Amino acid sequence: MSLPIALALLGVTLAAAASQGSKSACASFAPASLASVSLSGTTHYTANTRVNISNVYSSIDVSNLPSFCRVELVITTNATAGSTALTEPMANSPMDEWNGRVLTVGNGGLAGGVTVTELGHVAVPQGFAGISTNTGHDGTTDDGDWAGPHNDNAIVDWGWRALHLSVLAGKQVVEQYYGTPANKSYYLGCSTGAPAYLSHNRTQVQDFPEDFDGVVVGSPANWQTHLQGWSIHMNLNTQPSTSPHFITEDMWNDVLAPEVMRQCDALDGLTDDIINDPRICSFRPETLTCRPGQNTSTCLTGDQISALHRIYADYYEADQTYIFGGYYPGGETEYYHGLVGKKQFTIGLNYFKFMVLNDTTFKTRDYDASVLKKADDIDPGQANAISPNLTAFAGAPHNGKLLQYVGWADQLISPGNSIHYYETVHEFTMANTTMEIDDYYRLFLVPGMNHCHGGFAANAFGSVEQASNDNPPISFNPEHNILAAMVRWVEEGVAPDTIVAANYKDNNVTNGVGFTRPLCRYPSTIRHKGGDPTIADSFECA
C-alpha cells in the first residue's frame, strides 16, 4: 500500500542558479538524500491555467491559481510490511510569492486521498507551501474495507504515522526546492483530519511537537472510539425506519425545526433563525405531542419524544461512564442527513467492522457496551487523541498554539466533544502547570454552523471545506481568516479574541454577503447589542 503526499510549494527555486519559478526548475526537481522517500513526478502549472486534479477522495478543477509546482512522492511507512503513503507538495512560482511557511492540510472520515481540493483553495492562493497525504491508502470518506480484516499496519498509517512522516518529508522537500527551510509550519484540518494534532502519546502535539508551530482544528474526531460508538448509538435512537421511534425528514424540517426556533430563537435577544448558545435552550418536544385524531405526520408520538430526549442528551453507558455529547437545538434541518435519518452512518459501521472486531457481518444492531469497551482497549491505529497534557507542544521552548472551532449545529460530531476536551485540558493546565490556557489554546463555537461548514450561519472564516464550497473568507487578513489569525498569534504574539465570519446568501459567495458576525472565544458567547443585525459591529462577545 502506498502513501502519497502532496506538497504545494509556493514560489519555487531549486538552487541559486536555477530560474526561479520556471517550468524547467519544476520539471528537473529531484529531492536528494531523503530516506524512504521516492519521487513519482512533478508538474508545473502556469498562472491562471486550468488545474484539473482528482483522486478517489478529492478533486479540484479551477483556472484562477497562481503558478505552482506539484511534487508527487511515495513514502515508505513500514519497510518490513512494505507499506507506503502518497504525499504531494505544491509550490507557487516565482519564489517571491512564497510566504516562507509550510501548511499541512488534513483529510476527513476514513478517506485515503491527497486533499488536492484544500491545497488548491487554501494553501496555494495564500502563498503557503502545502502538504497533504493519502494516509497510506486509497478510499472515499466512508470506505473502510481497506482496514481489514486484520490490516493493522494500514490502520496505524491512517491513525497517525502517514501524516507525521509526510510532514517530515514535505519539510525537507520544501527546503530543497526553495533552497531555504520554511520559517514556520502550520496545520489546518477539520473532522478526522484534526485529531492527531490535539494530543496523544503517539501523535504530533505530544511526541512530535516540532512538526507544527500552530494548529487549527475544526470539530475534531479526536475521541475515535467514543465518537464511532456514539454515531451508532444515535443511529439506533431512530432506526430502523419501520420502528415507532423513527422521525421522517419532513418531520425534522417542517415540525421540529420551526418548534425549536419558536421556543429558543429569541432567547439570545434576536429572532434570526440562529440560536447563539443552544445550552440555554431547554427544548420541550412534548409541545408537539399528537392530539386525538391528529395527522401523525404533523406531530410526535410518545416513542418519538423519548427518542428526541436521547438524541439531545449526553450519552452515558449504564455504569454512568461518559461517552459523548449529544445534538444541540438549532440544527434540525440537517440532523436527518447526519446520524438520525434512514441511512446508517457508514463510517461508524465500518470502523467497528474492520478496525475493532474484524467481523464483516457486524451490524449496527450488534452494538453494545462490550463492543465499545473492546474499541477502547484496542484504540485502532492509536487514533484516540484525548490526553489533556499539551505541555510538550505548548510549553517552552516550543510554545505552540492551538485554535479550535466547531459549529453548534454539527450533525456528525457533537460540539459537546470540543467543549469536553477543552475543559479537560483547562483542568490539567490549572492543576499541573503554571501556564494559562488562553496563552496557547482557544476555542470558538459557531452558532448555526453544520459540520466544518454550511448551515444558516456566519460560516465563512478561512478554514478547510469553506472556500471549496463557495464560502471563502471576506479577506485573508487575521480579522476574517482563522489561518491568518493563527499566523499572527504564532509570529507576532497577538492572540485572537474574535474572528469576523461571513454568511453568503444561500451559502454562495456569488450571491453576496447576507450578514457578518463575530465568532467568540469560549466561554464567552455572542450577544446582539443593538443596531443592524447584518453587520458584526452590532454584536459583542460577553
Side-chain angles (χ1 to χ4, degrees), residues 18-263:
S19 172
Q20 290 186 351
S22 68
K23 182 176 182 179
S24 61
C26 177
S28 61
F29 176 67
S33 303
L34 298 185
S36 303
V37 177
S38 62
L39 177 68
S40 292
T42 61
T43 307
H44 184 268
Y45 293 87
T46 58
N48 300 316
T49 194
R50 185 184 182 191
V51 177
N52 185 9
I53 306 171
S54 64
N55 56 56
V56 68
Y57 165 63
S58 178
S59 64
I60 186 169
D61 188 357
V62 297
S63 303
N64 60 352
L65 296 180
S67 62
F68 68 93
C69 179
R70 178 191 183 197
V71 182
E72 297 174 82
L73 307 174
V74 176
I75 298 176
T76 299
T77 59
N78 185 324
T80 302
S83 61
T84 59
L86 306 181
T87 301
E88 291 185 29
M90 297 181 184
N92 285 65
S93 312
M95 184 174 180
D96 59 10
E97 292 185 8
W98 179 40
N99 64 19
R101 307 176 181 103
V102 169
L103 176 68
T104 300
V105 296
N107 305 70
L110 305 178
V114 169
T115 314
V116 293
T117 306
E118 304 309 325
L119 288 175
H121 282 280
V122 179
V124 171
Q126 296 182 63
F128 290 88
I131 302 172
S132 179
T133 173
N134 76 338
T135 72
H137 70 278
D138 296 321
T140 64
T141 301
D142 295 347
D143 180 22
D145 57 6
W146 56 267
H150 302 292
N151 196 356
D152 295 343
N153 192 63
I155 297 171
V156 171
D157 277 346
W158 166 80
W160 66 273
R161 185 170 58 196
L163 192 50
H164 171 59
L165 295 178
S166 295
V167 171
L168 295 182
K171 285 184 176 181
Q172 294 178 71
V173 168
V174 168
E175 180 173 358
Q176 292 188 25
Y177 193 77
Y178 291 116
T180 185
N183 296 320
K184 296 292 180 183
S185 175
Y186 297 92
Y187 178 87
L188 183 67
C190 188
S191 195
T192 307
Y197 298 99
L198 283 177
S199 70
H200 192 274
N201 60 354
R202 296 198 63 182
T203 51
Q204 281 74 358
V205 167
Q206 288 295 305
D207 272 10
F208 315 121
E210 298 298 326
D211 277 6
F212 301 109
D213 300 288
V215 171
V216 180
V217 294
S219 193
N222 60 299
W223 205 350
Q224 279 286 341
T225 56
H226 283 210
L227 166 62
Q228 304 308 341
W230 172 74
S231 72
I232 292 186
H233 164 79
M234 293 290 275
N235 280 177
L236 293 174
N237 282 328
T238 58
Q239 293 175 2
S241 60
T242 55
S243 69
H245 48 264
F246 181 71
I247 302 171
T248 67
E249 182 177 6
D250 286 345
M251 292 180 71
W252 278 102
N253 290 335
D254 302 332
V255 179
L256 277 165
E259 180 63 11
V260 167
M261 288 299 163
R262 187 190 70 80
Q263 291 187 28

Side-chain angles (χ1 to χ4, degrees), residues 173-413:
V173 168
V174 168
E175 180 173 358
Q176 292 188 25
Y177 193 77
Y178 291 116
T180 185
N183 296 320
K184 296 292 180 183
S185 175
Y186 297 92
Y187 178 87
L188 183 67
C190 188
S191 195
T192 307
Y197 298 99
L198 283 177
S199 70
H200 192 274
N201 60 354
R202 296 198 63 182
T203 51
Q204 281 74 358
V205 167
Q206 288 295 305
D207 272 10
F208 315 121
E210 298 298 326
D211 277 6
F212 301 109
D213 300 288
V215 171
V216 180
V217 294
S219 193
N222 60 299
W223 205 350
Q224 279 286 341
T225 56
H226 283 210
L227 166 62
Q228 304 308 341
W230 172 74
S231 72
I232 292 186
H233 164 79
M234 293 290 275
N235 280 177
L236 293 174
N237 282 328
T238 58
Q239 293 175 2
S241 60
T242 55
S243 69
H245 48 264
F246 181 71
I247 302 171
T248 67
E249 182 177 6
D250 286 345
M251 292 180 71
W252 278 102
N253 290 335
D254 302 332
V255 179
L256 277 165
E259 180 63 11
V260 167
M261 288 299 163
R262 187 190 70 80
Q263 291 187 28
C264 301
D265 185 13
L267 295 177
D268 55 25
L270 184 66
T271 302
D272 58 354
D273 289 327
I274 299 174
I275 301 173
N276 287 336
D277 185 351
R279 292 172 300 179
I280 67 174
C281 170
S282 298
F283 172 56
R284 296 178 56 245
E286 288 81 3
T287 60
L288 295 171
T289 302
C290 292
R291 306 301 296 267
Q294 185 174 355
N295 183 339
T296 55
S297 68
T298 65
C299 56
L300 298 175
T301 66
D303 286 327
Q304 291 169 324
I305 290 171
S306 295
L308 286 168
H309 280 298
R310 294 191 297 272
I311 288 167
Y312 289 112
D314 289 346
Y315 170 27
Y316 286 85
E317 270 301 339
D319 63 357
Q320 295 306 299
T321 297
Y322 174 79
I323 307 302
F324 218 68
Y327 276 170
Y328 286 80
E332 286 67 29
T333 57
E334 192 61 27
Y335 289 160
Y336 182 88
H337 302 290
L339 304 175
V340 293
K342 185 176 182 178
K343 181 182 177 183
Q344 292 182 340
F345 187 59
T346 311
I347 292 176
L349 181 63
N350 284 338
Y351 178 83
F352 287 102
K353 182 184 292 186
F354 295 111
M355 295 189 182
V356 176
L357 300 173
N358 291 301
D359 179 1
T360 58
T361 67
F362 175 79
K363 302 290 191 295
T364 56
R365 64 176 178 269
D366 300 323
Y367 173 79
D368 59 23
S370 67
V371 174
L372 178 61
K373 183 181 185 305
K374 187 168 186 177
D376 276 337
D377 290 343
I378 296 172
D379 184 13
Q382 297 84 55
N384 273 354
I386 56 177
S387 168
N389 183 3
L390 301 184
T391 54
F393 172 73
H398 187 61
N399 300 314
K401 309 298 182 188
L402 172 61
L403 288 178
Q404 185 176 341
Y405 66 90
V406 64
W408 274 120
D410 195 314
Q411 76 278 20
L412 297 181
I413 301 178

